[in-house]
């Protein structure tokens, strides 16, 4: 009889631990990858003041946020510094995130890069797909780039506003990807930019709160 009871217990064991009770016993935490330019990386900011670091302080306990931003990079493959060639891009793929936040467009607006604007849409779709094809099947969010309040670093604010932003909305719609609108968010907050292009610690905090709000809802 003792052996029979043990046998019944063992046969039920997988049901207890691999059935409906598994998720309750072992919560599934998010792995959040922040992909983008120096706006993500945190130009001249200490690590703890960057938006991904501040986002880490806002997400649920157990969730992990990693900063894969690379200064000066473009979404365009033919740009002067394509993110596709960055080591951090490969690291981000290898990490297999469950949530991806993509921020590009500012550097793409530069004259030497925007000459390849006909490739922007296809390159952006390819970037989204490169993450969606991972075994972790991440939820991908697309950031509308923030406004450029100056022409520092040869950024063209008119190209960002009139050409890149409409394209990013179009891409998000076709890719069925939720949007995080950093343009309208930061438009009345020029004081939260160091040089008209890069957010201050306060600006990064504003972005982190918005990213957290959107990814928490979706």
């Amino acid at each position: 009889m003792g052996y029979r009871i043990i046998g019944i217990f063992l046969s039920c064991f997988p049901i207890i631990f691999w059935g409906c009770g598994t998720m309750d016993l072992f919560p599934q935490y998010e792995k959040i990858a922040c992909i983008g330019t120096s706006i993500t990386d945190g130009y001249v900011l200490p690590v703890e003041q960057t938006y991904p670091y501040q986002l880490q302080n806002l997400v649920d306990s157990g969730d992990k946020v990693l900063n894969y931003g690379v200064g000066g990079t473009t979404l365009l493959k033919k740009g002067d510094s394509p993110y596709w060639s960055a080591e951090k891009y490969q690291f981000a793929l290898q990490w297999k995130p469950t949530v991806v936040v993509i921020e590009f467009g500012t550097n793409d607006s530069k004259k030497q890069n925007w000459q390849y604007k006909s490739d922007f849409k296809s390159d952006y779709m390819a970037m989204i797909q490169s993450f969606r094809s991972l075994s972790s099947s991440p939820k991908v969010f697309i950031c509308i780039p923030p406004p450029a309040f100056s022409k520092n670093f040869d950024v063209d604010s008119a190209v960002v506003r009139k050409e890149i932003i409409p394209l990013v909305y179009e891409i998000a719609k076709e890719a069925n990807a939720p949007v995080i609108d950093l343009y309208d968010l930061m438009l009345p907050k020029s004081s939260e930019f160091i040089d008209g292009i890069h957010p201050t610690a306060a600006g990064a905090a504003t972005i982190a709160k918005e990213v957290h709000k959107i990814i928490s809802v979706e």
Side-chain angles (χ1 to χ4, degrees), residues 57-77:
N57 295 330
L58 298 173
V59 297
D60 292 340
S61 175
D63 290 351
K64 182 67 176 177
V65 180
L66 291 187
N67 187 342
Y68 290 105
V70 181
T73 53
T74 65
L75 187 284
L76 284 162
K77 292 180 179 180

Side-chain angles (χ1 to χ4, degrees), residues 13-28:
F13 187 87
I15 298 174
I16 296 171
F17 286 92
W18 302 112
C20 61
T22 306
M23 296 297 290
D24 296 331
L25 292 172
F26 305 103
Q28 298 300 300

Side-chain angles (χ1 to χ4, degrees), residues 163-178:
E163 299 186 57
I164 291 179
I165 287 178
L167 263 178
V168 175
Y169 272 113
E170 185 178 315
I171 291 163
K173 183 177 181 180
E174 290 190 20
N176 194 28

Side-chain angles (χ1 to χ4, degrees), residues 11-200:
S11 67
C12 293
F13 187 87
I15 298 174
I16 296 171
F17 286 92
W18 302 112
C20 61
T22 306
M23 296 297 290
D24 296 331
L25 292 172
F26 305 103
Q28 298 300 300
Y29 296 120
E30 301 287 7
K31 296 167 67 177
I32 304 166
C34 299
I35 311 297
T37 67
S38 52
I39 292 170
T40 294
D41 186 38
Y43 179 74
V44 309
L45 293 177
V47 172
E48 65 273 12
Q49 293 180 4
T50 63
Y51 108 69
Y53 191 97
Q54 296 195 62
L55 177 61
Q56 177 68 77
N57 295 330
L58 298 173
V59 297
D60 292 340
S61 175
D63 290 351
K64 182 67 176 177
V65 180
L66 291 187
N67 187 342
Y68 290 105
V70 181
T73 53
T74 65
L75 187 284
L76 284 162
K77 292 180 179 180
K78 293 178 182 176
D80 56 4
S81 182
Y83 187 79
W84 301 87
S85 301
E87 192 174 34
K88 277 189 176 182
Y89 172 54
Q90 296 304 320
F91 290 158
L93 293 172
Q94 292 166 13
W95 192 46
K96 295 183 179 179
T98 59
V99 174
V100 177
V101 180
I102 301 177
E103 168 269 313
F104 284 109
T106 302
N107 295 318
D108 295 279
S109 74
K110 299 175 184 179
K111 185 177 181 180
Q112 69 269 25
N113 298 323
W114 201 235
Q115 63 179 313
Y116 304 113
K117 61 183 178 180
S118 60
D119 295 338
F120 187 76
K121 185 175 180 179
S122 59
D123 287 353
Y124 214 129
M125 296 295 280
M127 176 67 72
I128 294 169
Q129 187 56 37
S130 71
F131 284 102
R132 283 182 171 172
S133 63
L134 296 174
S135 59
S136 56
S137 300
K139 181 80 171 181
V140 177
F141 295 80
I142 295 179
C143 292
I144 302 302
F149 294 104
S150 75
K151 293 187 176 181
N152 284 336
F153 309 98
D154 298 321
V155 172
D156 192 323
S157 60
V159 169
V160 171
R161 183 179 73 258
K162 297 178 181 179
E163 299 186 57
I164 291 179
I165 287 178
L167 263 178
V168 175
Y169 272 113
E170 185 178 315
I171 291 163
K173 183 177 181 180
E174 290 190 20
N176 194 28
V179 164
I180 301 173
D181 185 358
L182 302 184
Y183 189 88
D184 287 343
L185 174 74
M186 303 305 292
L187 192 57
K189 299 179 181 294
S190 60
S191 63
E192 293 187 2
F193 285 79
I194 298 168
D195 48 20
I197 304 295
H198 302 97
T200 61

